[in-house]
Amino acid sequence: MSEAEELLSTPAEWDLPPERHRHFKDVLMQQIDHDTAVTPRRSRFLRPAVLVPLASAALTGALLVTLSVDGRGPATRSAPSATTAGASVTLNRIATAAMASDTVPVRDDQFVYVRTLERENTGSFTGPVRLGALHTEERWTSQDPGPLRVTGWIKASGKDAIMPDQMIPIESTDPVPVGVAHPTYQWLASLPTDPDALLARLREEAGPVEGESRDQAVFSLIGDLIGGTVMPPANAAAFYKAAAKLPGVREIPDAVDAAGRHGIAITLDDTGFATRHEWIFDKKTLALLGSRFYVTDPDRGITTETLSGTSAVMETAVVGRKGEVPARAAAR
């Protein structure tokens, strides 16, 4: 049975919630699933991606914790080694560093390019976690205000990459206007820079799925936007200050991204799911390094928190067209 056939044979009760720090594989198989009659669902990692059919979500089920039919995950999880005292202070320090960045405005005719390193769970839905090989993923996000059916393109390469070296459109059945599903530089620049006003806006925009707390939906949405876009410094600072106001944010003094770089992590413990995500920042520059994703699922024999995916943001740039890479990426 081919990968596509396996996807399409996935039973409906595997309608899993978003794990937004791994959106890539969801959208990677959009073309395969496009003509199927499977009900669309939200993408993971970047909510900006598309409405992805259930079969696409099944592709990376190992990155997602298996949920019960009512959409809720197992309640059991081990407490992370973290400190609560410094999270707000650290996020405000990160906001100050973001405010000092020299970001150049992005035009509507350009693309935001993001290159990441990824390690993902190659195991099955029902079995233990098996982290695959480190591989590269590149994404080109259109800044055209649209509405657009194709909001960007993605390409993966290396061992354990799915559909390696192919340019795959990030596509939706219906045209997508600018907003959380299509976050252009200009749209991000239009958001409030007051943290309280921004947090109120995000609470409206971030629709939690069943069993997910609204705070976790907001935390995930912020992670999506800071990890996959380019935005004005004042807006970036506002996102971090808004995150500092979320109840339950915690600091982890030492965390390692997919590239092996050590940093400070910010997480939210009360997710409503049997999953937990971390944003990892450089200890000196406070720049975003990457993320980690953990699961706890006693039904699969995962009784303590287990690393199920990790990424590293290696380069973010602005390019003139899809498929174009910055000089540093081309020379690697």
Side-chain angles (χ1 to χ4, degrees):
M1 181 181 291
S2 69
E3 285 183 343
E5 291 171 331
E6 289 177 358
L7 292 174
L8 297 178
S9 66
T10 303
E13 59 264 27
W14 295 90
D15 189 6
L16 306 178
E19 190 286 288
R20 294 150 181 110
H21 294 280
R22 291 290 181 277
H23 92 296
F24 294 147
K25 292 302 190 300
D26 277 352
V27 299
L28 198 57
M29 297 298 287
Q30 174 69 17
Q31 291 302 98
I32 289 177
D33 299 323
H34 184 68
D35 292 330
T36 69
V38 186
T39 302
R41 66 185 299 279
R42 292 185 298 169
S43 68
R44 300 177 298 113
F45 191 7
L46 282 181
R47 293 174 189 264
V50 319
L51 292 176
V52 180
L54 172 61
S56 293
L59 178 62
T60 48
L63 292 175
L64 296 166
V65 61
T66 302
L67 300 184
S68 58
V69 175
D70 67 359
R72 297 179 183 276
T76 304
R77 66 165 63 251
S78 59
S81 175
T83 175
T84 59
S88 180
V89 172
T90 298
L91 281 165
N92 279 283
R93 287 177 56 222
I94 294 168
T96 300
M99 191 69 182
S101 65
D102 56 354
T103 303
V104 176
V106 187
R107 301 193 311 266
D108 291 351
D109 63 336
Q110 294 179 309
F111 286 75
V112 169
Y113 169 85
V114 180
R115 175 169 57 94
T116 61
L117 295 178
E118 304 285 335
R119 286 194 71 197
E120 299 167 337
N121 187 356
T122 59
S124 68
F125 278 116
T126 57
V129 170
R130 294 187 179 89
L131 283 179
L134 193 67
H135 61 274
T136 298
E137 294 185 345
E138 297 171 284
R139 186 176 70 256
W140 293 262
T141 302
S142 174
Q143 299 300 293
D144 187 331
L148 303 176
R149 280 194 168 87
V150 176
T151 58
W153 298 77
I154 188 169
K155 182 173 74 172
S157 58
K159 185 180 179 182
D160 289 334
I162 296 178
M163 298 179 68
D165 303 318
Q166 297 188 42
M167 288 285 289
I168 308 299
I170 301 172
E171 185 174 18
S172 178
T173 302
D174 298 316
V176 180
V178 292
V180 295
H182 177 29
T184 65
Y185 181 94
Q186 296 300 329
W187 177 77
L188 291 162
S190 74
L191 295 177
T193 54
D194 174 78
D196 291 311
L198 178 60
L199 188 56
R201 174 72 176 272
L202 294 173
R203 289 188 185 280
E204 295 176 356
E205 298 279 5
V209 297
E210 184 179 3
E212 180 183 32
S213 70
R214 185 164 294 275
D215 286 339
Q216 174 59 31
V218 171
F219 186 83
S220 295
L221 177 54
I222 293 173
D224 296 345
L225 295 174
I226 63 175
T229 60
V230 172
M231 66 182 76
N235 295 97
F239 274 107
Y240 292 121
K241 290 180 179 179
K245 295 177 177 292
L246 289 172
V249 289
R250 298 169 68 90
E251 176 183 334
I252 298 174
D254 187 62
V256 184
D257 71 2
R261 299 173 300 190
H262 286 255
I264 304 168
I266 299 294
T267 191
L268 187 74
D269 289 339
D270 185 17
T271 67
F273 290 141
T275 64
R276 187 175 62 82
H277 310 110
E278 297 173 359
W279 311 335
I280 306 173
F281 300 88
D282 186 274
K283 293 181 180 181
K284 293 182 179 179
T285 68
L286 301 178
L288 180 68
L289 296 179
S291 64
R292 298 195 296 194
F293 166 58
Y294 290 85
V295 299
T296 308
D297 187 355
D299 289 342
R300 292 165 56 191
I302 307 172
T303 56
T304 59
E305 270 199 338
T306 301
L307 182 66
S308 188
T310 178
S311 71
V313 179
M314 304 307 295
E315 186 162 21
T316 301
V318 178
V319 296
R321 62 185 184 277
K322 69 176 173 63
E324 180 181 348
V325 298
R328 283 170 296 177
R332 71 182 185 277

